[in-house]
Amino acid sequence: MEKRATILVVDDERGVRQSFNMVLKDDYNVLLAENGDQAFDIFGKNMIDVVLLDILLPDTNGIDLLERLKEFDPAVEIIMVTAVKEIQTAVTAIKLGAYEYVIKPFAVDDVLTIIERALEKRTMVKELTYLRSELKRYQPFEKMVGKDEKIGAVFELISTIADSEGTVLIQGESGTGKELVARAIHNLSPRKDNPFVVINCAAIPATLMESEIFGHSKGAFTGAIRTTMGKLEIANKGTVFFDDVDNLDISMQAKLLRVIQEKEFERVGSTKIIKVEIRFVAATNKDLTDSISKGEFREDLYYRLNVFPIQLPALRERRTDIPLLINHFLDIYSKKSGKTPKRFSKQAMMAAMKHDWPGNVRELQNLAERVSTVAPGPVVRPEDISLLNTGYRQIEGMTLKDAVSAFEKTYISEVLENVGGSRNEAANRLGIHRNTLLSRINELDVKL
Ligand SMILES: Nc1ncnc2c1ncn2[C@@H]1O[C@H](COP(=O)(O)OP(=O)(O)OP(=O)(O)O)[C@@H](O)[C@H]1O
Ligand SMILES: [Mg+2]
């Protein structure tokens, strides 16, 4: 599974190229170039991890080439190869972003060690970029809870397909655990030490989507001040999760289909082909066959994604899990606050079991968080969880108009919370237009 790193050796002396080739070819893919033009050409057509670059070349000098290569791919690591008398130039190269220099004649072991370190750094930089993006969306809980057979079947499916390379399409209502399942597939797979990268198709505006996925080269469009890696490149050797995949517009759907099939793509504004080795997982809360018949989703992409379908049951279809989940989340939130976990009274639990949970596990989790902080005693009573009455007790004595507004405010904020803040989804649930919702949020000063 581990892909071999590719090393480009640029040197005008045939003997030097051959000896590098001899030393490296057992552990790496080695490509050879004898001048700057050739090097640049090869660089454009292949995914290169490390370049060994001679400082003196017939058609250009190593420094210029270094700058060009770095501009093309900022993540490439370059090791300068130099004679003693050119050490000054080598130092300049380091300042310009070369990883290290080696002085001719050199010991083979030294060069191998430097290459290994350069490769490690490359992986670390990639991971850092990814971790930074991941930190912003910290997922507190990874543990999946459930005893119902419907969810049990899902757990079983996850462990059977985790090892395979096939794409997975996770379908289920909002809040049923689609993202959690995607992460579980990754964590159980041989890719677990490589990145898991989320592309949130509903949250990224269509105009930015292509660059988000594929990256862009410097100057590709106004504001593209430097070459940037896309999510696919960051996810190489790992798993990429296309959340709310139905939100991709038709042209991006075609591009996604191509990447899944060819495992290669170009950054926006660049012709360099980037090869990736990625497991694709996608999720949606829509019925995609319906979207296909409306012409909103490509049928060929659907079949590509749907190699392993996973259907997540709504919480109301597995009511026996409700107490389990409630106690699970109450435990988690009590640990956070250092208090003993609250427990639901019998009546409160019955009410929870009867509730339909349109926002599924997320709605239940939010409720558990709320009662953990606001329910007065250790036992949660039915009145502590009455879902739509949250604001009710404070509105006595108001005019009807103000009371209605107060209720509307609480209700909108509950629904928003239950759908994870998605305005589109909330508007759907409320049966009003998105713009109406936005103006109500504004007028009522709904806290988000
Ligand atoms: N079986 C489960 N056990 C424990 N926690 C769960 C389970 N299912 C879901 N959750 C939790 O519920 C919340 C919602 O799950 P998740 O974000 O995976 O849902 P989703 O289907 O992606 O929802 P949406 O469509 O709204 O994005 C998360 O905090 C997740 O950790
Ligand atoms: Mg989700």
Side-chain angles (χ1 to χ4, degrees), residues 28 66 70 82 85 99 107 140 147 184 194 238 250 292 302 325 424 437 448:
Y28 306 104
L66 164 82
K70 273 281 180 188
T82 171
K85 61 179 191 308
Y99 175 70
K147 277 200 176 135
N194 296 320
I250 287 279
I292 293 170
Y302 172 72
L325 282 160
N424 283 336
L437 174 62
L448 303 166

Side-chain angles (χ1 to χ4, degrees), residues 142-148 151-152 155 176 180 315 318 321-329 332 361:
E142 301 281 45
K143 195 168 160 246
M144 297 200 64
V145 175
K147 277 200 176 135
D148 182 276
I151 200 81
F155 293 163
T176 46
L180 207 60
L315 189 52
R318 50 176 184 117
D321 282 344
I322 293 171
L324 217 66
L325 282 160
I326 287 178
N327 291 333
H328 168 69
F329 288 119
I332 287 177
V361 183

Side-chain angles (χ1 to χ4, degrees), residues 57-75:
L57 290 168
D59 57 341
T60 176
N61 69 57
I63 297 286
D64 284 348
L65 188 55
L66 164 82
E67 286 190 284
R68 279 172 73 198
L69 297 181
K70 273 281 180 188
E71 183 161 303
F72 215 85
D73 180 4

